[in-house]
Amino acid sequence: MPTHLLAETLTIGVYHNPPKLFADDQGQPRGMLGDLLQAIAKEEQWQLTSFQCEFQHCLSLLEQGAIDLLPDVAWSEERAQRLSFHEEPVMHSWSQLYQREDIEVDAIFDLEQHRIAVVEGSVQQSYLAAVTNRFDITVTWLSVSSFAEGFQSVANGEADLVAANHLFGDWRADDYGLHETSVIFQPARLFYAASPMLSEEILERIDDTLIRWKQDNDSIYFDTLRAWKGQSSSSQLIPLWLWWSISALCLLLVLALGANVLLKRRVSINREQLNTNEALLTTILDSVDAYIYIKSPSLKYRYVNRRISELFNRPAEDIIGKCDDDFLDATSAAAIKKIDQNVLNSGKKVTIEEHSVLQGEKQMRTFLSIKMPLTMTSGEKPCLCGISTELTEYLEMQSRTHRLAFYDALTGLPNRRLLMESLAELTKKDSSIIALSAIFIIDLDGFRLVNDIQGHESGDQLLINVADLLQRQLPEEATVARFSSDEFVVLLTVVGEQPEEAALGAERIARQLLEGISTLRADRALPISASIGISLFNGSGQSMNSVLQQADLALQQAKTAGGNTLRFFNMDMQTSVLERASLEEDLHQALAHNELALHYQVQVDHQGVTTGVEALLRWYHPQRGWVPPGTFIPIAEENGLIIPIGYWVLRLACEQLAKWSRQPTYSALTISVNVSSVQFQQPDFVREVEELLAQTQAPANRLVLEVTESLLMSEPTRVRNTMLKLRAQGVRFALDDFGTGYSSLSYLKRLPLDELKIDQSFVRELLTDKTDAAIVDTTILLAVSLGLTVVAEGVEKKEQLDWLKGHGCYRYQGYLFGRPTPIEYLFEVY
């Protein structure tokens, strides 16, 4: 043992959660996990001091380093971000609902109109609240401070059911006259959670001791659990949601069937009890949402539960004694037979994914199966026990989700997100590779006329036909994507090694596409043509945005030429680049010359009440007049000017919030400020915001910082830490232009967001574009399910407002309510 651990003194948090953990009369940790920790400390020669606290308070003290260890903590991803855990779980647990004799609850949906006692802040509370909200089940919650108080409230009639971990329920349910329901949820692994400041070597010692004890059935580990009438399990959750729902049933099955053999020898003495047990076991196994069966050593069915009968569409008596050949196609039956025989020959349990086709069906079904040998009678060959859960619908849902994320719903082509990922990989390729690639941007000429004259159904069919033509005429290795309404993008990874060769090959392919598109017709009166912009690149020093920008510039040249033609990007287009350079030079002086200003656009709720404003940056150039934000803000971000400009914007917004805070009429209003990713990632950004709030005395909870998806995905850990620090000051966050990016949705659950803003590009055509309407509707549902306020941008028509209200969006911004205007005219105009 390392010498520096010999005199280690650890402060242990103890909260009241018997039989797993509680404090004895001397304040020392007792219970299953308390006694085990005492034994570990004795073996490691650690000195333990105890500190009694409520569970949530214990967690706070642990995170702050005021205590070193806290027994009986279930691992979760959120807790793992704040606390340290050892690797080997001390034990496994799950949660269960317990009820009075006069209550009959068999499933989650039976909780409608019932009163449920839950421990405030517990995992049981958060899980049940989420599930009942998701399925719109109305329940009444009774918050209690402990499981014992919850059980007492049900016994007294104050509640109908109580949620608790099964260890406490099994220990005390009878004392309160309660019994368990079949609603089991949240399997958990229990650990000794540690302060982030605690030495990892101590956690390693805990792991080493637990692993060694679990390998010895006579160790103090199993003695302690037996003393508290606990059940030990070193099994892994494979997976967790399946193991805990069926592992106990599997044990019941083995014990009950083994007992059945013994009971037959005593049939004259215990016939009635045998019948009762068999009926109970059948009821339990038939209630499980899994396929449970036993096969004889010759692999004939010896027992099946109700789900097996439903799967094969035959009564149990027609299944018993038959093999899989009678129910599955030959290939599936042969594969299962091979697996089953291997289990019986090896004598080992397996967890395996099986694929089967039932006779009379064509669809392949997927099952996750646990199979193990089962000895029915001593001296006989073992039978095979199997428990299978069907994954077919889940896998299909995964496939649909992937397709929705990466493919266009109308044409089936890859969408913008998938294309951008492919293009990003291509632009990162080794610069020593001289082969040139090409990107085409294809835009249909006059497509809006098709929608306006013939309707969107004809327009949709035309887009489908164009997608089909592109796929048929392009080489197999080409990537074709739908980028927007009538815009398609083609990526050709190799078109030649020399520029002339590559250009000639790209032109030949593009002209074939133009000819093919011209043969399509939406109607005899509406000939169809297209314009194509082409950019050649080799990936060396080029970003995907610059490649797309070049192709888009070429497309605009083709459009200017009258359409039905193609254009390559060339250096003549750099005239606009020179213009940009001039504008950048002027921008350097804009802030010093007081040419920048803030205009504000109101945000209102569904009752027409103004809830806040968005601060929008404007630039009035002495010679050019008003310069569009989309023109100068990207320049400012590229040359770093966005940092001083952004600070100036934040200062003005905070000063305005401070003024409003002293005026009751406006004190509740928020100000939303767009924060550039360049500005947000500055090391001193948090300090600057805190100083501005302190200097101006602006209420931090009225300041909303709007961030983009690209920022959230650039450096997720760093961005999250910055957001959490500002959130601690009260600052709120909104995700701007949601849906226009192509990043993972996982950040939504990990970052402290308050609002989600639907980009105006989706709102603009939601009344006429089914895809936009579906995206907006899905976004609203996603935001509501995550507890986020959803704000629709670009609302210009009352019909759009009515649609959004009807679909659950209650915050809006757009010309329908007011254009961006200087602060002195804001509420006069509105």
Side-chain angles (χ1 to χ4, degrees), residues 575-631:
T575 303
S576 60
V577 176
L578 298 177
E579 178 70 12
R580 180 186 182 281
S582 175
L583 194 65
E584 179 177 355
E585 184 177 352
D586 294 342
L587 184 58
H588 277 277
Q589 309 299 324
L591 189 59
H593 293 171
N594 295 319
E595 296 172 7
L596 298 179
L598 279 188
H599 287 189
Y600 296 85
Q601 187 173 33
V602 296
Q603 297 174 340
V604 303
D605 63 16
H606 62 291
Q607 296 177 334
V609 177
T610 301
T611 59
V613 299
E614 180 178 0
L616 299 168
L617 184 62
R618 295 293 185 262
W619 178 20
Y620 187 81
H621 191 281
Q623 286 78 41
R624 304 171 188 267
W626 291 107
V627 181
T631 299

Side-chain angles (χ1 to χ4, degrees), residues 14-34:
V14 182
Y15 68 96
H16 193 68
N17 189 20
K20 294 187 291 180
L21 181 67
F22 62 92
D24 62 14
D25 295 339
Q26 286 75 42
Q28 294 302 308
R30 292 299 313 281
M32 298 178 183
L33 282 88

Side-chain angles (χ1 to χ4, degrees), residues 239 241 353 363 366 368 389-402:
W241 60 270
E353 188 175 286
Q363 179 192 18
T366 302
L368 181 63
T389 300
E390 187 164 3
L391 303 179
T392 307
E393 291 185 3
Y394 170 73
L395 294 176
E396 289 176 351
M397 181 183 68
Q398 271 194 328
S399 177
R400 288 194 298 269
T401 301
H402 179 271

Side-chain angles (χ1 to χ4, degrees), residues 15-16 53-64 67 70 78-79 82-83 119-126 145:
Y15 68 96
H16 193 68
C53 45
E54 294 294 330
F55 179 65
Q56 291 297 331
H57 184 45
C58 284
L59 288 177
S60 299
L61 293 175
L62 191 65
E63 185 175 3
Q64 297 165 9
I67 59 178
L70 179 61
E78 185 273 332
R79 287 174 180 167
R82 301 181 290 114
L83 307 172
V119 175
E120 181 69 29
S122 66
V123 293
Q124 292 87 8
Q125 180 190 43
S126 59
S145 61

